[in-house]
Amino acid sequence: MLIQIRQVLSPEEVAHCRRALEAAAWADGRQTAGEQSAKAKFNLQVPEDSRVSRELGDLILRALGRTPLFTSAALPLRVYPPMFNRYDKGMKFDAHVDNAIRYVPGTNGFRLRADVSSTLFLTDPASYDGGELVVEDTYGTHAVKLPAGDMVVYPATSLHRVNEITRGSRWSSFFWSQSLVKDDGKRAFLYDMDMAIIGVRKSLPDDHPSVLALTSSYHNLLRRWSEI
């Protein structure tokens, strides 16, 4: 299930992130990759423990908190601190699957299971060529290149890549979520059901028996499938 979410960040927030990142120190992205991924990864990243990364990460976490569609899609239990990467001309990230377990920085070895991957675009797509995020899932191959401030959410189990940049530079934030519902199929079912409930509520009052029945079924399924 691949879901695009519009305007997670406002234009003003995107501009703020860009100004901060332009002044940041960038490092080889392979420093944070696993053994296999490091062979396929050619990009730059802002160090996770830097002040810029922490401050902008907090801004994005606040934005996620006001984005109901992200909650519906990811059903997040925990969210890994957002990170920031950059692909200049000639850079790419060949096909890979994200590590299943991430150690959360700044904690005493706390671990997070990466169920859902998210990429938040910070660059106008007209300013660069290439750089598409290409995700393979059971429904085929999807190339994603979104406006600055928009985000894509997809299962971390998906094989994916970032196409080579042939002009310009592509900047983004990326992070993972441990979901309340580990299974991709069950999570997708709950998302579709939630969207259906939202649609029904637009034409029926909240206390209509059909709305109440659908909402009850959604929460009872979430209760049954949730890991907490």
Side-chain angles (χ1 to χ4, degrees):
M1 179 180 66
L2 185 150
I3 299 169
Q4 298 180 16
I5 306 177
R6 298 184 64 245
Q7 298 177 344
V8 175
L9 294 184
S10 68
E12 293 76 18
E13 289 172 322
V14 170
H16 172 75
C17 289
R18 291 284 310 199
R19 288 192 297 270
L21 292 173
E22 284 166 1
W26 295 85
D28 190 330
R30 287 175 290 187
Q31 294 178 7
T32 59
E35 181 179 356
Q36 185 65 35
S37 294
K39 300 175 183 177
K41 187 176 186 180
F42 304 95
N43 69 2
L44 300 173
Q45 287 181 197
V46 176
E48 291 182 78
D49 59 355
S50 69
R51 179 186 58 81
V52 169
S53 186
R54 292 194 302 269
E55 290 181 357
L56 297 185
D58 287 343
L59 182 152
I60 290 172
L61 291 175
R62 290 193 297 271
L64 296 178
R66 63 172 189 257
T67 307
L69 191 55
F70 171 74
T71 301
S72 295
L75 293 173
L77 173 62
R78 302 180 181 93
V79 178
Y80 191 89
M83 301 168 66
F84 299 87
N85 62 15
R86 169 179 174 175
Y87 292 83
D88 294 334
K89 185 177 180 181
M91 294 184 179
K92 61 179 181 175
F93 199 162
D94 292 330
H96 65 286
V97 171
D98 292 331
N99 291 348
I101 305 296
R102 311 290 305 195
Y103 285 89
V104 179
T107 66
N108 188 22
F110 186 82
R111 293 175 294 178
L112 175 151
R113 188 186 64 240
D115 297 320
V116 179
S117 296
S118 300
T119 296
L120 175 58
F121 290 78
L122 298 173
T123 308
D124 179 355
S127 68
Y128 65 97
D129 293 331
E132 299 86 359
L133 172 65
V134 181
V135 181
E136 299 181 20
D137 62 18
T138 54
Y139 300 101
T141 301
H142 313 273
V144 183
K145 187 175 182 178
L146 301 181
D150 289 8
M151 184 170 73
V152 62
V153 176
Y154 59 97
T157 54
S158 304
L159 188 68
H160 59 284
R161 68 180 187 272
V162 175
N163 286 341
E164 182 176 345
I165 294 285
T166 59
R167 177 186 67 88
S169 184
R170 170 198 188 269
W171 298 17
S172 65
S173 175
F174 64 102
F175 54 92
W176 302 272
S177 303
Q178 179 172 334
S179 179
L180 292 165
V181 178
K182 177 170 62 174
D183 184 86
D184 295 339
K186 291 177 179 177
R187 196 166 56 247
F189 182 90
L190 286 167
Y191 173 79
D192 290 341
M193 193 173 185
D194 196 18
M195 294 302 100
I197 292 169
I198 292 172
V200 169
R201 291 178 64 186
K202 290 179 180 178
S203 56
L204 295 175
D206 287 349
D207 60 353
H208 190 281
S210 295
V211 175
L212 293 173
L214 281 171
T215 303
S216 296
S217 296
Y218 172 88
H219 285 286
N220 286 333
L221 281 173
L222 179 56
R223 184 175 292 109
R224 173 171 291 190
W225 291 341
S226 174
E227 296 191 342
I228 63 169

